[in-house]
Every structure is written in C-alpha cells, then in structure tokens.
Amino acid sequence: MDWRSHYRDHLVTAQRAVSLIESGDRVVVHHACAEPTELIEAMVAQAEAYRNVEIVHMVPMGRAPYCAPGMESHFWHNSLFNGGPTRQAIAEGRGDFTPTFFHQIPRLLRDGLPVDVALLHLSPPDEHGYCSLGVAVDYSLAAARCAKKVIAQVNPRMPRTLGDSFVHVNDLAAIVEVDEPVIELPPPNISQVEAAIGRHCASLIHDGDCLQLGIGAIPDAVLRELGGFKDLGIHSEMFSDGVVELFEQGVISNAKKTLHKGQFVATFLMGTRRLYDFVDDNPMVWMAGVDQVNDPRIVAQNDNLVSINSCVQVDLQGQVVSSSAGLRQISGIGGQADFVRGAAMSPGGRAIIACPSTARGGQISKIVPFIDPGSAVSTMREDVEHIVTEHGVARLWGLTLRQRAEALIAIAHPDFRDQLEAEYGRRYTSNRHY
Ligand code: COA
C-alpha cells in the first residue's frame, strides 16, 4: 500500500492509539530524551482499562507515571536502568530491575522478552515513508522491529538523525501527530572537584584519540579540558552539547577514526535544541542500534578508543561498583562494561573510570576497603584500567593487589586515607593473606 494512504488511515488520537494495548502486554517505551510523553500520559490516563501491563524502559527522563503509587495492578515496571522517578518505585516494589549489558538489549528483545507493543517518538516521514527514531535509536530500533504493534507519536521537532535509524510508516499500527519540544538535558554545572577530574582525565588523552563519554558533569568537565587538542573522534554510546562545541572549535574532526572515519557515532543523544539542530539531517552523524554501536567487538575496531565512565564505589582491589549502593539499585550498568572491554581490545585504547573521591557531600569515601554488601560489580578487577579522582590517576591494570591498594589510597580523599591505610596494614603488613 502507498505509505501516504497508510499514514492517513492510521492517524488517530493518543487515546485511541493506546487502546491498542491489551492487559498482559509487554510494552517497550522509546528511550531517554525520545520518551513519547503524549502516548505515556494517554496510556496512564486510561490505567483502569489495563491489568498487568509490563512497561520495559531504560533511562526515564519524564515523570514515569506508570510506576507512581496506585498504578501497581495496572502497570508493572521492568527497568533496564533506574533514574530519579523509577529508583523510588523499584525500591518500593512497584516494579523490578533486569541486569543486562546495554549492547545485548536488542538480543533480549528478540529472544528473551518478546515485545507486544513499542511506543515510539518519531520524526515525520521523508518522501519514501521513513520516519527517523531521532535522538534515541539504541534498543528502540529493535523494539520497533520485533513488536507485534508499533504505536508512534510523530513530531516535526524530532530531529531526523541518519544511519540505521529508520522505521517505515507502513509498519506503524497507530500514528499520533504531536508538535511539542523534545525533552532536553541542559549542560550541568561543573564543580571544582569535577573540573579537577576533567584535568586528570585529559592528561590521559592524546591528539587523534576516539572518545566515548558517559552522561553528566564529569564527561562535560573532560570536554572543557580538550580545547587544545586536535583531530579527536567520537564513537560513544551517547553525546551531548559539549561535543558540538568542540567540533565547532575544530578540536573534534573524526578524521583519524579507523571506523566510520569522518563521522560521529552514537546510539542516543541527550542535550539541548542546539545539539538536536546539529544532528538533524546531518550525514556527519551516524546513529544505529546499540548492538551496532556498543558491542565491544565493534568498539574495538576504533584504534585509540578512550572510554570515560563514572562509578559509585571502588574497593582496594579495584572492583568497580557503578549502578548500586548495597541493594539500592541506583542506575544500571549501561554501556560501561561494553566500552571498558572495547577499549581494552582497541589498539592503543584506554579505559578510564572517573569519580569524585567522596559521596554524600564528603561524608563517605568512594574508595573503600570492601564494597557494600549487596552491591553489584560493574567493572571487574580484571577489566579495570585507570581510576581517576580529583586527587589524581591510579593505573591499576597489571598491578598486584598490594600495589592497587597503594595506588588507590594515593587518590582517595585525605580525610579517609588513614582508615584505608589501617586496612592496608591489616591486609599486607601482617602475615595474614586473603
Ligand atoms: N554510596 C552510597 N550512595 C552513593 C554513593 C556511594 N558511594 N555514590 C553515589 N551514591 C548515591 C548518591 O547519593 C545519589 O543518591 P541520591 O540521588 O539519593 O542522593 C545517587 O547515588 C546518584 O549519585 P550521583 O553522584 O548523583 O550520581 P551521578 O549522576 O554522578 O551518576 C553514576 C553516577 C555512577 C550513578 C552514573 O554514572 C552511572 O549510572 N554509571 C553507570 C552507567 C554507565 O557508566 N554508563 C556509561 C555510559 S552512559
């Protein structure tokens, strides 16, 4: 059928569109800044019509009303990465968390968690009937391809990102036209601690490197230190406004990349309208499913890949906890292991885990003798390479347990070094061996 007729025939209100969801369905929601707010609100407004609808979602940027108190019998949240609104809901039992490597989520949706409905937020169709997944392709592309029904809100303000990032109108079961701002993430404020971390990370970066940066203040602090560099490249799970600024300054050229030379590569984007205008219809930006971007075997095809991610806790052996504090599930592993392992296999690559030396306003040390009971290790001690705090760089790779402890104590906050030294003494200067 001509896609234009299909589009016209399937154009409905949001209320009508979400009535295609049935009780017991598994609904996968478009990720991060592409969250389809109008469809989610319409679905939750009709909560009484549903029983046991499973909502699979990763980084929530909106209110996540499907896991608000009182929604338990209607919706059950299966989180792939907790954020502000969903952290609380999971802690209070209005859902659960599935541990998974980010690059394996498409496989999970194909083979492990069959998708009944995908709720998407798309750009308007081009002349051939293709809508772009815009600022989030990640697992959303796989959800679109596996779902029995795809329901989409189509928004002229969603940038048309290029790459393997398209869904065809003929595959949409219901279309809702909206004209609303795409969710934005403003650049964070950088504290003095983060600025110092940025400087230490920058000392590990060389001209021509290919960068992966996580979300938040530390990646932005690193970018601010890169003004004097040349020919940097980007192959990153995500990027934000700071990368555009460095491109405009001539620092990022992607010219030395060994995979997708000349192109930025990402699987999702979080930023302001400035970023969204930059990526719109821009062949310099290649976006694709997370299995095509984060798979460590693909990451490793970039020479000199430098990954920079953050964490919650590091123990004296170099085990890195990034998504939980005890049994409290703070976030998810995201692409941390994907890129740490990809960087290790990349010729000339380097993996950096960077974090402030303390948490909770300086009350607790992030470098600890033992990780909290219940915490999950995200980067194994065998995988870890560099740990960076505001107090310096510890290169752990290849070090013995004793050397690791020494290197980590040297970058711990001075207020906690005595306690760590005492533990070091118990472990390594007595005859006890663990
Ligand atoms: N002990 C106990 N709680 C801790 C803690 C510690 N050592 N470190 C952090 N926390 C708590 C904070 O108190 C905060 O809780 P609150 O919101 O109730 O106050 C929460 O964890 C988040 O801490 P915050 O410092 O705001 O985190 P952040 O926004 O800087 O993110 C990570 C840090 C580690 C959570 C985040 O980088 C992450 O999820 N990383 C794993 C995923 C990843 O690396 N992806 C890579 C590609 S994007």
Side-chain angles (χ1 to χ4, degrees):
M1 187 199 269
D2 168 47
W3 70 262
R4 287 184 179 81
S5 322
H6 183 95
Y7 190 96
R8 270 193 307 275
D9 293 350
H10 292 79
L11 197 56
V12 291
T13 62
Q15 194 182 22
R16 188 79 191 279
V18 298
S19 68
L20 292 179
I21 301 171
E22 293 173 33
S23 289
D25 274 355
R26 176 176 292 119
V27 176
V28 178
V29 179
H30 206 156
H31 182 219
C33 292
E35 201 169 301
T37 318
E38 183 123 349
L39 296 179
I40 292 175
E41 296 293 339
M43 177 181 75
V44 173
Q46 299 185 46
E48 290 299 328
Y50 311 116
R51 286 279 169 275
N52 300 324
V53 170
E54 179 182 332
I55 307 292
V56 179
H57 196 195
M58 204 165 159
V59 175
M61 292 297 290
R63 297 185 305 116
Y66 45 80
C67 56
M71 287 292 150
E72 298 84 323
S73 59
H74 308 297
F75 304 109
W76 183 82
H77 180 39
N78 184 353
S79 168
L80 305 177
F81 193 105
N82 288 357
T86 54
R87 218 177 262 162
Q88 186 74 6
I90 302 299
E92 290 170 2
R94 292 190 298 282
D96 205 347
F97 174 81
T98 302
T100 171
F101 295 119
F102 196 2
H103 82 274
Q104 290 193 358
I105 297 178
R107 178 178 152 221
L108 197 60
L109 298 181
R110 280 192 298 269
D111 300 339
L113 297 174
V115 185
D116 295 302
V117 179
L119 292 187
L120 303 180
H121 188 172
L122 305 176
S123 74
D126 62 17
E127 62 191 291
H128 305 289
Y130 285 96
C131 301
S132 168
L133 286 149
V135 298
V137 183
D138 42 65
Y139 64 83
S140 311
L141 178 67
R145 291 192 177 152
C146 315
K148 292 183 195 136
K149 294 172 204 162
V150 180
I151 302 175
Q153 63 177 59
V154 171
N155 185 357
R157 298 198 227 183
M158 176 59 85
R160 183 170 178 272
T161 58
L162 308 180
D164 188 4
S165 55
F166 293 98
V167 174
H168 198 269
V169 163
N170 288 351
D171 295 326
L172 304 180
I175 301 163
V176 179
E177 286 184 342
V178 302
D179 188 348
E180 61 186 29
V182 174
I183 295 172
E184 296 187 22
L185 183 72
N189 294 324
I190 310 283
S191 69
Q192 285 189 359
V193 165
E194 288 145 357
I197 294 171
R199 285 192 291 279
H200 291 306
C201 290
S203 74
L204 299 170
I205 295 172
H206 314 311
D207 289 339
D209 281 347
C210 179
L211 307 181
Q212 176 262 329
L213 301 145
I215 308 172
I218 290 176
D220 269 56
V222 176
L223 290 171
R224 285 188 197 183
E225 296 298 323
L226 301 179
F229 283 72
K230 284 196 304 249
D231 285 328
L232 296 177
I234 298 292
H235 181 113
S236 190
E237 164 179 319
M238 57 83 62
F239 64 86
S240 42
D241 292 41
V243 160
V244 179
E245 205 160 306
L246 283 185
F247 169 73
E248 287 169 354
Q249 288 171 20
V251 172
I252 294 176
S253 69
N254 296 306
K256 301 274 191 229
K257 285 178 74 178
T258 46
L259 184 70
H260 290 286
K261 195 191 259 308
Q263 287 180 310
F264 296 83
V265 172
T267 196
F268 73 101
L269 304 162
M270 295 177 101
T272 67
R273 194 68 234 173
R274 181 185 183 199
L275 171 70
Y276 301 160
D277 288 342
F278 175 77
V279 300
D280 187 31
D281 230 346
N282 186 347
M284 217 173 4
V285 181
W286 188 83
M287 294 193 59
V290 67
D291 45 349
Q292 297 182 65
V293 174
N294 278 34
D295 186 321
R297 293 166 296 191
I298 293 173
V299 172
Q301 291 172 36
N302 292 284
D303 287 3
N304 305 309
L305 190 288
V306 180
S307 74
I308 305 173
N309 294 294
S310 196
C311 72
V312 170
Q313 213 170 46
V314 186
D315 77 2
L316 287 179
Q317 305 184 48
Q319 301 190 86
V320 178
V321 170
S322 303
S323 66
S324 58
L327 287 174
R328 180 174 180 234
Q329 189 64 47
I330 293 173
S331 55
I333 195 170
Q336 183 166 125
D338 299 344
F339 277 92
V340 166
R341 290 181 173 165
M345 294 188 287
S346 150
R350 274 140 282 153
I352 302 170
I353 301 286
C355 66
S357 63
T358 61
R360 299 226 183 99
Q363 287 173 35
I364 51 174
S365 177
K366 288 204 172 209
I367 297 177
V368 290
F370 300 98
I371 58 178
D372 290 352
S375 285
V377 170
S378 309
T379 295
M380 292 161 60
R381 60 187 187 167
E382 291 77 5
D383 282 321
V384 75
E385 190 180 358
H386 298 89
I387 302 285
V388 173
T389 71
E390 70 276 25
H391 300 291
V393 177
R395 185 163 194 250
L396 302 186
W397 192 70
L399 298 191
T400 66
L401 293 176
R402 183 189 294 253
Q403 291 167 332
R404 285 165 180 242
E406 287 163 5
L408 286 166
I409 292 169
I411 61 160
H413 193 283
D415 289 354
F416 296 95
R417 284 186 198 163
D418 286 351
Q419 292 167 26
L420 295 166
E421 297 276 8
E423 173 60 24
Y424 178 89
R426 275 193 290 278
R427 274 185 212 187
Y428 300 117
T429 53
S430 72
N431 290 327
R432 282 180 77 181
H433 292 288
Y434 290 86

